[in-house]
């Protein structure tokens, strides 16, 4: 999350400010209204995003598409990874071409169009229009032995769904990159305290949107209808787009000011590939010597500042790269944790209307069941509770006792909690498989798919969700703090984009690992289960993730210690060009 600006910047050419009544209360009231509009847009966008991701595995695993469990988990991980990996694209487009206002508006419009694909494919006519008819399962001779390999069929409608999900990911990442700093622009004139409070409320808006989506949308998707359940996120994005346009008269908008990405790429080329750099100089003898491009009328950093910024980037990158395995663990709660929960006993709640029994989730009798995605609320609620508790009570107490850990030390602690979360998930999976192998199963129908679940209650998943929520407090939030406190002010946006990009890399690596282990002979290769995972060894997958996290956590501790020693040395005080925010 972008760091608040602590001092007012001079008005730049092309900046548009609303015509507000003069006086003490007039401008302040409208600045707050602009900030509130941004918060509302963010809440609605996050509600839509979590509404799409919460039951995506279940949607693809349903009879609408009949995707295998590992195929659905892989698609969810690819979507989540892309929504972070593409974050620098939206930020770069806003910096160079569009400006933040137009970038957010166009991203919301793309979001609205792409998200409409999910409800369109939730009913038969729409599905056949976009995807064609579902191919019939081929008939063949029975497998002579339980160990003979079987190829998993190509998932139905995969090109259309992947294209739609990637467009949603592009739009969501662009909103994430630009809306936060755009909101800070609206309240920057009210002072440092107002900017700090805006970021606090911004973080809460994200979690409030998640709570509303998980409580309402996830229940509707799992128990009533995917058509209605995926229509609600489309409505949320449409309402967010309308509010953003409606509030345009009170927004402060700034023109694109250019980006230092090209300068950083030139410096990287010059340092890593000097021969290639010499060829580039020969082709553009005059312009290539200028860093940044001095032919541009826009103001920019000097060549000395570019070199200093590049050196800072080289120091920060190893710290952020060693967080990638943590993100591999973190995104399990929206993929393999969900798949594991579908194979645990989900208790019943509100009695269903007998006339709607065909739409109800019928695990036992005619009752609705608790949506598996509701367990994500354990993560969200622990964040909502611990963030203000940590900010107002724990951190001040540790500061008075001079025991407050640095951001890097908090990140190491977050890795430890992520490690314990995936260990707990692995132990639970071992216990679940113990029941399965002794033929102790409970048949439950979820989204018109029959699962052979273990009699273990789904509530046993709560500890792993709580632990991953605690890890987020200590790894994700201090990671943002580290990125912005250590970055030069002129590169805060670029480094924030890299931070989100690397978190997306973690999700995609998790997806690649699932794909690798789903090959014949792998721990997750169980096509004979037809969507179930009872013949897979997901427990070994969890323990493998824990081992990767443990090794990289030790590497992170070494890199972080070295970084802190260098930063505390005398050389760190002579970096004249690092205007830290």
């Amino acid at each position: 999350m972008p760091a608040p600006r602590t001092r007012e910047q001079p008005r730049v050419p092309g900046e548009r400010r609303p015509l507000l009544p003069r006086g003490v209360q007039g401008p302040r009231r409208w600045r707050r209204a602009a900030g509130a509009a941004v918060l509302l847009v963010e809440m609605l966008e996050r509600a839509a995003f979590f509404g799409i991701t919460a039951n995506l595995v279940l949607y693809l695993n349903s009879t609408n598409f009949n995707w295998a469990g590992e195929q659905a988990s892989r698609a969810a991980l690819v979507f989540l990874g892309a929504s972070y990996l593409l974050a620098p694209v939206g930020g770069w487009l806003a910096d160079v071409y569009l400006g933040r206002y137009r970038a957010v508006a166009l991203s919301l419009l793309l979001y609205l169009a792409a998200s409409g694909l999910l409800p369109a494919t939730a009913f038969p006519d729409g599905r056949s229009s976009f995807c064609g008819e579902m191919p019939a399962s081929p008939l063949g001779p029975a497998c002579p032995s339980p160990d003979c390999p079987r190829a998993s069929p190509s998932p139905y409608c995969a090109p259309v769904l992947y294209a739609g999900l990637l467009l949603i990911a592009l739009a969501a990442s662009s909103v994430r990159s630009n809306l936060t700093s755009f909101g800070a622009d609206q309240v920057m004139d009210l002072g440092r305290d107002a900017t700090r409070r805006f970021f606090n409320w911004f973080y809460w808006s994200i979690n409030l949107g998640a709570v509303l989506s998980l409580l309402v949308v996830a229940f509707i998707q799992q128990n009533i209808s995917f058509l209605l359940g995926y229509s609600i996120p489309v409505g949320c994005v449409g309402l967010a787009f309308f509010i953003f346009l409606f509030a345009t008269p009170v927004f402060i908008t700034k023109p694109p000011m250019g980006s230092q990405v090209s300068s950083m790429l030139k410096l990287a080329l010059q340092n890593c590939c000097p021969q290639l750099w010499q060829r580039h100089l020969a082709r553009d003898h005059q312009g290539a010597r200028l860093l940044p491009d001095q032919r541009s009328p826009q103001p920019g950093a000097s060549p000395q500042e570019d070199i200093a910024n590049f050196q800072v980037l080289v120091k920060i990158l190893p710290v952020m790269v060693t967080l990638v395995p943590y993100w591999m663990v973190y995104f399990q709660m929206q993929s393999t944790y969900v798949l594991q929960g579908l194979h645990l006993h989900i208790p019943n709640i509100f009695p269903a209307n007998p006339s709607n029994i065909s739409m109800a989730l019928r695990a036992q009798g005619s009752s609705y069941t608790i949506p598996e995605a509701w367990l994500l609320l354990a993560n969200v609620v622990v964040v909502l509770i611990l963030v203000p508790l940590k900010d107002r009570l724990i951190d001040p107490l540790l500061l008075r006792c001079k025991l407050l850990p640095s951001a890097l030390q908090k990140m190491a602690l977050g890795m430890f909690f992520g490690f314990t979360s995936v260990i707990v998930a692995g132990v639970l999976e071992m216990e679940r498989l113990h029941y399965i192998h002794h033929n102790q199963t409970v048949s439950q129908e979820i989204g018109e798919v029959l699962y052979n679940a273990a009699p273990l209650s789904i509530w046993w998943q709560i500890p792993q969700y709580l632990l991953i929520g605690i890890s987020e407090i200590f790894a994700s939030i201090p990671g943002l703090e580290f990125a912005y406190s250590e970055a030069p002010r002129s590169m805060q946006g670029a480094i924030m984009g890299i931070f989100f990009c690397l978190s997306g890399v973690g999700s995609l690596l998790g997806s690649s690992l699932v794909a690798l282990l789903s090959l014949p002979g792998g721990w997750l290769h169980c096509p004979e289960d037809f969507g179930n995972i009872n013949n897979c060894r997901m427990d070994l997958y969890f323990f493998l993730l824990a081992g990767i996290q443990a090794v990289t956590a030790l590497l992170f501790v070494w890199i972080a210690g070295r970084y802190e020693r260098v930063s505390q040395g005398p050389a760190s005080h002579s970096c004249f060009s690092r205007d830290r925010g």
Side-chain angles (χ1 to χ4, degrees):
M1 194 175 298
R5 304 183 194 181
T6 58
R7 61 178 180 267
E8 183 176 349
Q9 295 181 349
R11 190 175 301 188
V12 297
E15 177 179 334
R16 186 190 67 80
R17 288 175 174 261
L19 296 175
L20 301 175
R22 296 185 178 274
V24 178
Q25 294 299 327
R28 294 181 65 88
R29 182 171 63 251
W30 288 107
R31 292 297 93 238
R32 290 170 179 169
V38 171
L39 295 179
L40 187 56
V41 169
E42 176 64 14
M43 185 195 72
L44 291 168
E45 187 275 327
R46 287 292 90 186
F49 183 81
F50 281 102
I52 292 170
T53 60
N55 278 321
L56 184 59
V57 171
L58 177 60
Y59 182 56
L60 299 177
N61 199 206
S62 68
T63 55
N64 291 336
F65 301 100
N66 286 329
W67 286 26
E70 73 276 4
Q71 292 170 339
S73 293
R74 196 183 315 153
L77 286 170
V78 168
F79 172 64
L80 290 169
S83 68
Y84 287 88
L85 193 65
L86 297 174
V89 176
W92 179 78
L93 288 174
D95 288 341
V96 178
Y97 296 109
L98 300 175
R100 288 170 184 159
Y101 172 81
R102 281 188 290 178
V104 172
L106 292 176
S107 299
L108 288 173
L109 187 59
L110 175 62
Y111 210 140
L112 181 63
S115 60
L117 180 67
L118 293 174
T121 56
F123 62 98
D125 290 341
R127 200 159 46 247
S128 60
S129 298
F130 282 98
C131 311
E133 298 298 328
M134 181 182 294
S137 300
L139 297 177
C143 186
S145 67
D147 296 329
C148 68
R150 302 186 186 186
S152 298
S154 177
Y156 168 62
C157 200
V160 173
L161 289 175
Y162 269 108
L165 290 174
L166 289 177
L167 286 176
I168 296 172
L170 175 62
S173 64
S174 180
V175 172
R176 179 186 289 112
S177 299
N178 296 297
L179 188 61
T180 312
S181 51
F182 179 78
D185 291 341
Q186 309 310 312
V187 299
M188 184 177 57
D189 293 345
L190 301 182
R192 178 175 182 177
D193 185 64
T195 308
R196 178 183 58 81
R197 292 185 63 195
F198 167 80
F199 280 100
N200 290 336
W201 283 106
F202 192 89
Y203 188 79
W204 272 71
S205 299
I206 292 173
N207 287 275
L208 181 59
V211 168
L212 295 176
S213 182
L214 294 174
L215 281 175
V216 179
V217 180
F219 177 83
I220 293 174
Q221 289 171 346
Q222 182 166 316
N223 288 282
I224 300 177
S225 165
F226 277 113
L227 175 59
L228 177 59
Y230 276 127
S231 297
I232 295 175
V234 177
C236 288
V237 177
L239 182 58
F241 183 57
F242 172 77
I243 292 172
F244 191 77
L245 294 182
F246 184 77
T248 298
V250 298
F251 282 153
I252 295 174
T253 60
K254 297 181 179 181
M257 297 297 295
S259 174
Q260 284 191 308
V261 173
S262 58
S263 298
M264 294 296 100
L265 291 177
K266 289 179 182 179
L267 285 169
L269 182 65
Q270 185 178 1
N271 285 272
C272 300
C273 307
Q275 294 180 350
L276 191 60
W277 174 252
Q278 292 299 326
R279 295 176 188 173
H280 178 71
L281 285 177
R283 287 195 303 266
D284 187 11
H285 183 72
Q286 295 180 348
R289 296 180 183 275
L290 304 176
L291 291 176
D293 189 0
Q294 296 176 354
R295 293 168 295 178
S296 173
Q298 296 179 347
S302 67
Q304 293 79 10
E305 289 174 328
D306 280 332
I307 294 173
N309 292 344
F310 180 73
Q311 292 172 344
V312 172
L313 184 63
V314 170
K315 287 174 59 180
I316 292 177
L317 270 181
V319 177
M320 295 197 294
V321 167
T322 47
L323 267 179
V324 168
Y326 166 77
W327 295 117
M328 291 176 64
V329 172
Y330 175 81
F331 285 114
Q332 299 306 310
M333 70 174 178
Q334 292 172 320
S335 55
T336 54
Y337 281 14
V338 174
L339 195 60
Q340 182 188 49
L342 294 174
H343 294 81
L344 295 170
H345 176 56
I346 303 178
N348 300 323
I349 50 176
F350 321 113
N353 189 330
S355 62
N356 294 331
I357 188 64
S358 62
M359 296 187 297
L361 191 158
R362 301 180 294 271
Q364 292 178 353
S366 59
S367 296
Y368 293 125
T369 62
I370 295 172
E372 199 282 333
W374 276 10
L375 289 181
L376 288 173
L377 289 172
N379 168 263
V380 175
V381 170
V382 75
V383 170
L384 286 172
I385 294 174
L386 287 184
V387 166
L389 184 65
K390 177 177 175 293
D391 182 62
R392 294 175 177 269
L393 182 63
I394 298 176
D395 282 354
L397 179 61
L398 292 176
L399 187 60
R400 285 196 299 269
C401 299
K402 298 183 179 180
L403 297 174
L404 184 65
S406 65
L408 292 176
Q409 291 169 336
K410 294 176 185 176
M411 291 158 69
L413 187 60
M415 290 183 178
F416 170 76
F417 282 110
F419 167 82
T420 56
S421 173
V422 79
I423 285 288
V424 169
V427 172
L428 177 62
E429 182 66 11
M430 287 180 60
E431 188 66 18
R432 191 192 70 82
L433 290 175
H434 175 77
Y435 282 94
I436 296 298
H437 293 157
H438 287 80
N439 294 321
Q440 301 179 32
T441 61
V442 176
S443 296
Q444 57 184 12
E445 189 176 348
I446 304 176
E448 300 181 356
V449 175
L450 186 66
Y451 292 91
N452 296 319
L456 283 170
S457 173
I458 198 174
W459 300 123
W460 284 103
Q461 277 196 308
I462 287 180
Q464 65 201 56
Y465 279 97
L466 289 177
L467 287 168
I468 204 70
I470 296 173
S471 76
E472 184 180 359
I473 299 296
F474 289 101
S476 179
I477 299 175
L480 299 177
E481 175 189 345
F482 169 79
Y484 271 91
S485 63
E486 297 302 307
R489 186 177 299 277
S490 59
M491 287 189 65
Q492 284 179 341
I495 290 181
M496 186 62 195
I498 293 173
F499 182 87
F500 281 130
C501 181
L502 289 176
S503 61
V505 169
S507 179
L508 292 179
L509 285 178
S511 173
S512 301
L513 186 58
V514 169
L516 180 64
L517 296 177
S518 299
L519 296 175
W523 295 334
L524 301 180
H525 180 70
C526 45
E528 66 275 10
D529 274 358
F530 298 102
N532 285 270
I533 57 171
N534 294 333
N535 290 326
C536 296
R537 293 301 306 272
M538 193 177 287
D539 55 333
L540 299 181
Y541 169 71
F542 287 140
F543 292 140
L544 176 61
L545 283 178
I548 295 173
Q549 175 67 99
V551 171
T552 52
L554 295 175
L555 179 62
F556 176 84
V557 170
W558 179 77
I559 292 176
R562 186 170 178 269
Y563 182 92
E564 288 187 332
R565 287 194 299 271
V566 172
S567 299
Q568 292 171 0
S572 64
H573 300 289
S574 61
C575 296
F576 65 92
S577 64
R578 290 188 60 187
D579 181 17
R580 296 185 179 184

